[in-house]
Amino acid sequence: MPRRSASARRALGRLGAARAVEALAFLAQDGAYRKLADLQEYSLVDVDRRRLELYRREAEHWILLESEGDGPALPLQSVGMSLSPAQAFEDLDEEA
């Protein structure tokens, strides 16, 4: 787990779980995670939209791969697997 700044920890401490996820998404989009030299990829999950976003470092820039609904699996190179929205949210579908 990446180490968060003191201001990020305080902000997350004041938020509920749903708001904390939104805050982490903002931090990711804002580039906080992207500044970690060893980070090669990270994923954001939007449960409400059943959407996956995968950000991957390629040379000096980041690329975005997206999938939602019945979309294709995203290749998670850092852990040697692929994950589709259907797989990521199958337990949610069973609970409904």
Side-chain angles (χ1 to χ4, degrees):
M1 181 87 166
R3 190 172 182 170
R4 296 186 188 104
S5 69
S7 60
R9 286 192 303 273
R10 281 192 303 275
L12 292 174
R14 290 189 296 260
L15 300 171
R19 297 288 301 175
V21 170
E22 290 176 19
L24 288 173
F26 171 77
L27 290 173
Q29 290 173 347
D30 191 42
Y33 284 93
R34 295 177 188 164
K35 293 176 184 173
L36 298 170
D38 293 334
L39 182 66
Q40 294 302 307
E41 67 181 6
Y42 65 93
S43 182
L44 299 177
V45 177
D46 185 335
V47 175
D48 294 331
R49 290 191 225 156
R50 310 278 171 112
R51 175 184 171 87
L52 304 176
E53 294 181 359
L54 175 64
Y55 294 86
R56 181 174 298 133
R57 187 187 309 260
E58 299 229 344
E60 297 298 318
H61 64 279
W62 288 89
I63 62 167
L64 168 63
L65 303 169
E66 306 169 279
S67 189
E68 62 184 276
D70 293 329
L74 298 178
L76 303 166
Q77 294 176 349
S78 62
V79 292
M81 64 175 277
S82 294
L83 183 66
S84 71
Q87 293 168 315
F89 303 114
E90 70 181 331
D91 289 342
L92 293 177
D93 293 335
E94 292 172 5
E95 291 175 8

